[in-house]
Amino acid sequence: MNNLDMMKNARRYAQEYALNTSTGVKQLLRDQHRISARRGRGDMSASDILIDLNTAIQIAGLTNRQREAVAWIYENDATQQAAAEMMGIRKDSVKDLVAAGVERITAIFVQWNYAHVIVEYEGEEHS
């Protein structure tokens, strides 16, 4: 194996998302942009993960406000304070809406018996 190949493997890692926990679902929501970029490079597993996430969100029956709060925080990368200002509510209300929405999404993954999914990343550091 040459040095170039060894460097490539040093930049490769896998991130596991435990979809039967709200923490894992939050991590997946946070990283959906990065997973989408993998889909753009032909990663069919990334496509499957995003399709499942979007389906779970649809089935979860989030209220309009929960859906809006989740979108501001995870799709638009807004802070809770910025989301609160955009939505015309208090920061604590955004926190509560997001928590309730994530719990509903998690319940769908639990119902589907999802334990976890793994996404492999190359050449970037995971935050």
Side-chain angles (χ1 to χ4, degrees):
M1 179 180 280
N2 64 37
N3 287 339
L4 182 59
D5 288 341
M6 289 185 343
M7 294 298 288
K8 181 178 179 181
N9 288 335
R11 293 188 313 265
R12 178 178 287 165
Y13 65 94
Q15 174 66 43
E16 182 174 341
Y17 301 92
L19 299 180
N20 55 358
T21 68
S22 60
T23 300
V25 171
K26 286 178 188 177
Q27 290 171 334
L28 181 63
L29 286 164
R30 180 197 66 211
D31 289 348
Q32 64 185 319
H33 297 297
R34 294 174 66 230
I35 296 168
S36 184
R38 293 209 41 84
R39 180 179 64 182
R41 293 191 297 267
D43 184 338
M44 297 308 292
S45 294
S47 292
D48 292 342
I49 291 166
L50 293 172
I51 289 168
D52 288 348
L53 175 60
N54 288 321
T55 301
I57 290 169
Q58 294 300 317
I59 293 172
L62 275 62
T63 67
N64 289 338
R65 293 302 259 179
Q66 288 169 341
R67 186 180 304 278
E68 183 179 6
V70 168
W72 277 116
I73 299 301
Y74 293 109
E75 293 175 26
N76 298 309
D77 297 322
T79 64
Q80 288 180 355
Q81 183 61 46
E85 291 170 10
M86 297 300 289
M87 295 175 70
I89 59 178
R90 296 178 313 129
K91 179 180 169 183
D92 288 343
S93 296
V94 170
K95 181 180 177 180
D96 293 342
L97 288 166
V98 169
V102 168
E103 285 299 322
R104 286 181 174 209
I105 296 165
T106 302
I108 298 302
F109 283 117
V110 168
Q111 182 180 352
W112 289 346
N113 294 317
Y114 261 76
H116 65 274
V117 294
I118 297 173
V119 177
E120 291 187 11
Y121 296 99
E122 285 184 30
E124 59 181 294
E125 291 201 22
H126 187 261
S127 55

